Amino acid sequence: MLNTYGIHRAVAYNAVMKVENPTSRDIADIAGVSQATVSRALRNSPLVRPETRDRIQKIARELNYFVNRNAAGLRTHQSNTIALLMFDETGGDDAQINPFFLSMLGYITRSAAGMGYDVLASMQQLTDDWHVEYQASHRADGLILLGYGDYVAYRRKLDALAAANTRFIIYGAVAADQPGLSLGCDNVRGGHMATAHLLGLGRRRIAILGDISKRHPEFAARHDGYVAALDDAGLEHDESLRIFADNTEEDAYRAVRAFLDSGTGFDGLFAVTDMLAIGAMHALADAGRQVPQDVSVVGFDDLPRAAYVNPPLTTIQQNIREAGEGLVKTIVGLIEGEDVASSQLEPKLIVRQSCGAL
Amino acid sequence: MLNTYGIHRAVAYNAVMKVENPTSRDIADIAGVSQATVSRALRNSPLVRPETRDRIQKIARELNYFVNRNAAGLRTHQSNTIALLMFDETGGDDAQINPFFLSMLGYITRSAAGMGYDVLASMQQLTDDWHVEYQASHRADGLILLGYGDYVAYRRKLDALAAANTRFIIYGAVAADQPGLSLGCDNVRGGHMATAHLLGLGRRRIAILGDISKRHPEFAARHDGYVAALDDAGLEHDESLRIFADNTEEDAYRAVRAFLDSGTGFDGLFAVTDMLAIGAMHALADAGRQVPQDVSVVGFDDLPRAAYVNPPLTTIQQNIREAGEGLVKTIVGLIEGEDVASSQLEPKLIVRQSCGAL
DNA sequence: GCACCGTTTGACAGCGCTGTCCATTCAGGC
DNA sequence: GCCTGAATGGACAGCGCTGTCAAACGGTGC
């Protein structure tokens, strides 16, 4: 390949000859215009005459030419890429990851593509500061964090990101003094809905299942909604109806079995996630309790499987599509200098057969 | 920010001052070496004295400097990125996507990270030639394709990729004359294992559930294994025991209900995926058939939920971890000019309670 | 003291693109 | 015919890095 201008490799182009890894200069030589004009034409600049533009674009298409993103990115100081970081703090067992994330990933990549952005995906345990690097190295213009697991453990990261001036948005976990943008479902409202539904069916002894500590702000918020609903109904909330479980099906199973063994009476159960609800329903079934007659169960998330467990699970749906699209729209807005803010999405009660009137 | 050499913005550096978006030149000025030396030091070149290297790296760390990937990529003509394209041809309902993919994604991103590569994720319906662009635009050095759905529909894409000299590897779908590299589970062997297991339990009327047409080469291969196992046992395979279903739980449910209504007798069922098996088990239960007594069921994939359905599902496990890591290792090998080849992974029979002796 | 050599560093070009500034062209008005 | 201004395209610099080549440096042996 000659690169001496004037004897450029593509000058001798004709309909037959193809250039192997064409650059905009090759296209320019073939089209008989300057390289700058090619650049403009391909970005649909109004500065080039439509006929010229079309001719150039046609040649580019024929030669399978695409703008070199490294060069463009170097020049413009942006990558048109957002990094999607999935924090996996459940202990590293991939098989247990909430399939919810996969749907989200789909909506995120598609709506990012629609806005001209690529998505760099990463799933890791928390190590030191790998996440700061994405923006500093110009690989991504902004970050979306899908935190899953222990909030306390990654709160430090949020502070580090904020300190490094990184543009980021976090899904779900929202604590009052948290830096950066966030988007999540209105967990308080969701918890309220779930509990109010059980109350509406005449249930009075409603247990809550999950880790509602500060480690999981979203679960804690669901608990707040639960308490508020009880309060609205004029009921005290009974601390003995709190069942702790890590967010896995197995742990929920164990916890509910143990709770049943303890003999505490209850007629309703609000599990802070569907995975927990499903584990709980197995435990109830294995202990000979009828769902929904003896105990009515409400979950949270509306996993695909929620509709197929036995009985089908009443749950609170997070609008995954809105969430994914909202995350992208917000982070892109932040990148492009618009005025954006954190927001919450409305949860929705999905009624199925795991709840019944007393 | 002054960029005139000699009055460079970072020249006046002292322990307190920090540069905002440092470049290697800033580091050089501060360290009192040339920019080239900084570049070398950060890549651990043996050409720089260890003390100099350490000093430079320390400064870089302090200033939160990271190599600009666009600039490096422009210079070296590579991006150290692989694109992961998830073909979604199931009709676009994200909720039904196989959670299998999510685990895979985890292994892929982690092993890519371990080899110094980032992963660009994309989930799309098939459009024209978007996937060719990744390499041509220097956004990715190679592609991993996780095809899901209709093979016929994306076979055209594989040919286009091959024609454009794109480096790619496809997971799962393997047809004899297919271009490019592939890695998948040995589906014939898996189908054989599943069927042989049922035969070993005394089952003789074994139905097969799924779309085993050429649209799904991996399912067709599982069917081949099924036929081979029957053959090994001296049994004819009975075409009336083929139950067609799209790869969703609901469709499997409907198909099996219809099959039961048709009155064809059977005592074993090999579902070509776990999702199908789960739908089938619901259908059997709702029709009053006992699993495993009346009908023993084997699935394929070993989804996380397979262990938690009722009864727990006997299935063929694809080693997702090996698969994810193998895909990355192979595509990186291809990118870096090593001698790599397509390969198949050994499936494994996971025995649970959905099968029993007759 | 000097030529020689290995080690370490610096100077420099240029990867392919975009944005700025300048040159050319042409239509229309005088 | 000449001037003006809009429309169109070209020249050029430089984004931040890496690889090549050459220079400087500090021993070593004669």
Side-chain angles (χ1 to χ4, degrees):
Chain A
M1 154 177 167
L2 285 170
N3 236 341
T4 320
Y5 289 3
I7 326 176
H8 196 265
R9 61 187 174 140
V11 167
Y13 173 85
N14 57 49
V16 180
M17 171 184 174
K18 298 274 173 184
V19 185
E20 230 151 288
N21 274 307
T23 70
S24 56
R25 239 208 85 92
D26 295 324
I27 310 296
D29 289 344
I30 293 162
V33 297
S34 77
Q35 179 270 329
T37 300
V38 172
S39 175
R40 282 191 280 254
L42 293 173
R43 284 172 297 134
N44 292 314
S45 160
L47 294 178
V48 336
R49 197 157 21 112
E51 304 92 83
T52 313
R53 177 185 15 91
D54 294 346
R55 191 162 49 88
I56 290 172
Q57 292 191 346
K58 179 158 171 287
I59 293 170
R61 231 176 298 117
E62 273 173 9
L63 291 196
N64 247 298
Y65 168 80
F66 294 94
V67 172
N68 182 321
R69 294 299 216 87
N70 286 324
L74 175 59
R75 185 56 225 250
T76 60
H77 298 280
Q78 53 169 343
S79 59
N80 283 289
T81 300
I82 53 192
L84 172 64
L85 308 182
M86 305 194 228
F87 286 71
D88 164 16
E89 285 305 288
T90 53
D93 182 0
D94 279 342
Q96 280 297 333
I97 286 175
N98 202 318
F100 179 82
F101 278 12
L102 188 60
S103 304
M104 185 86 104
L105 176 64
Y107 289 117
I108 288 175
T109 60
R110 270 189 296 270
S111 72
M115 304 184 75
Y117 282 75
D118 284 320
V119 175
L120 265 183
S122 170
M123 294 175 72
Q124 302 200 234
Q125 299 288 104
L126 294 176
T127 56
D128 277 345
D129 282 339
W130 57 270
H131 56 305
V132 170
E133 190 184 338
Y134 278 91
Q135 189 177 312
S137 67
H138 292 262
R139 265 179 295 185
D141 300 327
L143 272 52
I144 294 175
L145 307 181
L146 286 185
Y148 192 66
D150 188 341
Y151 177 75
V152 173
Y154 59 77
R155 171 60 195 263
R156 241 184 42 240
K157 305 289 161 183
L158 299 190
D159 294 329
L161 283 171
N165 264 321
T166 303
R167 289 177 289 263
F168 71 94
I169 183 167
I170 180 159
Y171 179 74
V174 191
D177 59 338
Q178 173 177 303
L181 289 170
S182 68
L183 182 148
C185 149
D186 187 337
N187 287 298
V188 176
R189 208 165 144 57
H192 192 286
M193 276 179 174
T195 312
H197 181 64
L198 289 166
L199 289 166
L201 293 167
R203 308 283 158 173
R204 285 297 172 269
R205 300 271 305 157
I206 301 173
I208 181 164
L209 172 66
D211 179 356
I212 57 174
S213 69
K214 287 261 175 285
R215 306 182 80 78
H216 297 275
E218 63 273 48
F219 300 163
R222 290 169 199 181
H223 174 253
D224 291 346
Y226 159 85
V227 171
L230 291 173
D231 203 47
D232 289 354
L235 294 173
E236 287 292 304
H237 71 283
D238 181 347
E239 303 254 329
S240 71
L241 291 173
R242 284 223 286 240
I243 315 173
F244 175 89
D246 283 330
N247 192 28
T248 66
E249 216 169 303
E250 296 95 317
D251 206 56
Y253 181 89
R254 280 190 293 271
V256 172
R257 287 306 295 252
F259 185 72
L260 286 164
D261 289 344
S262 80
T264 315
F266 67 119
D267 55 13
L269 176 68
F270 169 38
V272 301
T273 71
D274 282 356
M275 293 224 288
L276 291 167
I278 291 167
M281 289 210 293
H282 280 135
L284 289 164
D286 287 0
R289 304 294 180 96
Q290 299 285 321
V291 175
Q293 295 85 343
D294 299 339
V295 179
S296 282
V297 178
V298 183
F300 207 112
D301 281 349
D302 195 29
L303 296 190
R305 17 183 327 208
Y308 299 104
V309 291
N310 185 19
L313 182 65
T314 293
T315 189
I316 304 295
Q317 185 181 62
Q318 306 196 47
N319 193 324
I320 306 182
R321 175 180 196 139
E322 263 182 39
E325 291 174 353
L327 284 167
V328 172
K329 226 177 116 187
T330 310
I331 193 68
V332 169
L334 186 63
I335 291 165
E336 299 183 350
E338 288 159 31
D339 210 17
V340 293
S342 293
S343 58
Q344 290 202 313
L345 300 172
E346 197 62 14
K348 187 177 158 194
L349 177 72
I350 307 290
V351 177
R352 299 203 184 89
Q353 286 87 63
S354 67
C355 293
L358 199 58
Chain B
M1 154 178 165
L2 285 171
N3 235 340
T4 320
Y5 288 5
I7 326 176
H8 196 267
R9 61 185 173 143
V11 166
Y13 173 84
N14 58 49
V16 180
M17 169 184 174
K18 297 273 172 182
V19 185
E20 229 151 287
N21 274 306
T23 69
S24 57
R25 240 208 83 93
D26 295 323
I27 310 297
D29 288 345
I30 293 162
V33 297
S34 76
Q35 180 272 330
T37 301
V38 171
S39 174
R40 281 190 283 254
L42 294 173
R43 283 172 299 135
N44 292 314
S45 160
L47 294 177
V48 335
R49 199 155 23 110
E51 304 92 83
T52 314
R53 174 177 27 84
D54 294 345
R55 190 162 49 87
I56 291 171
Q57 292 191 347
K58 179 158 169 288
I59 293 170
R61 231 177 297 116
E62 273 173 10
L63 291 197
N64 246 298
Y65 168 80
F66 294 94
V67 172
N68 181 320
R69 294 298 217 85
N70 286 323
L74 175 58
R75 185 58 225 249
T76 61
H77 298 279
Q78 53 169 345
S79 59
N80 283 290
T81 300
I82 53 192
L84 173 63
L85 307 182
M86 305 194 228
F87 286 72
D88 163 17
E89 285 306 288
T90 54
D93 182 0
D94 280 340
Q96 280 297 332
I97 287 174
N98 203 319
F100 178 82
F101 277 12
L102 189 60
S103 304
M104 185 85 105
L105 176 64
Y107 289 117
I108 288 176
T109 60
R110 270 189 295 270
S111 73
M115 303 185 77
Y117 282 76
D118 284 320
V119 175
L120 265 183
S122 170
M123 294 175 72
Q124 303 201 230
Q125 300 287 103
L126 294 176
T127 56
D128 277 346
D129 283 339
W130 57 269
H131 56 305
V132 170
E133 190 183 340
Y134 279 90
Q135 189 175 313
S137 67
H138 293 263
R139 266 179 293 186
D141 300 328
L143 272 54
I144 293 175
L145 307 181
L146 287 185
Y148 193 68
D150 188 341
Y151 177 75
V152 173
Y154 59 76
R155 172 59 195 265
R156 241 183 43 240
K157 306 288 160 181
L158 299 190
D159 294 330
L161 283 171
N165 264 322
T166 303
R167 289 177 290 263
F168 70 94
I169 183 166
I170 180 159
Y171 179 76
V174 191
D177 59 339
Q178 174 176 302
L181 290 171
S182 68
L183 182 148
C185 149
D186 187 336
N187 286 298
V188 176
R189 209 167 142 59
H192 191 286
M193 276 179 173
T195 312
H197 181 64
L198 288 167
L199 289 166
L201 294 167
R203 309 283 158 173
R204 285 296 172 271
R205 300 271 306 157
I206 301 172
I208 181 165
L209 172 66
D211 179 357
I212 56 173
S213 70
K214 287 262 177 285
R215 307 182 80 79
H216 297 275
E218 63 273 50
F219 299 162
R222 290 169 199 181
H223 174 254
D224 292 345
Y226 158 86
V227 171
L230 291 174
D231 203 49
D232 289 355
L235 295 172
E236 287 292 305
H237 71 284
D238 181 346
E239 303 254 329
S240 71
L241 291 173
R242 286 223 285 241
I243 315 174
F244 175 88
D246 283 330
N247 192 30
T248 66
E249 217 169 302
E250 295 96 316
D251 205 57
Y253 181 90
R254 279 192 292 271
V256 172
R257 286 307 294 250
F259 185 72
L260 287 164
D261 289 344
S262 80
T264 315
F266 67 120
D267 55 12
L269 176 68
F270 168 38
V272 301
T273 71
D274 282 356
M275 294 224 288
L276 291 167
I278 292 167
M281 290 209 294
H282 281 135
L284 289 164
D286 287 0
R289 305 297 180 94
Q290 299 285 321
V291 174
Q293 297 84 343
D294 299 339
V295 179
S296 282
V297 178
V298 183
F300 207 112
D301 281 348
D302 195 29
L303 295 190
R305 5 179 341 202
Y308 299 103
V309 291
N310 185 19
L313 182 64
T314 294
T315 189
I316 304 295
Q317 185 181 62
Q318 305 195 48
N319 192 323
I320 305 183
R321 174 179 196 139
E322 262 181 40
E325 291 174 354
L327 284 167
V328 172
K329 225 177 115 186
T330 308
I331 193 68
V332 169
L334 187 64
I335 291 165
E336 299 184 348
E338 288 159 30
D339 209 17
V340 292
S342 294
S343 57
Q344 289 203 313
L345 301 172
E346 198 62 13
K348 187 176 157 193
L349 176 72
I350 307 290
V351 177
R352 299 203 184 90
Q353 286 86 63
S354 67
C355 293
L358 198 56

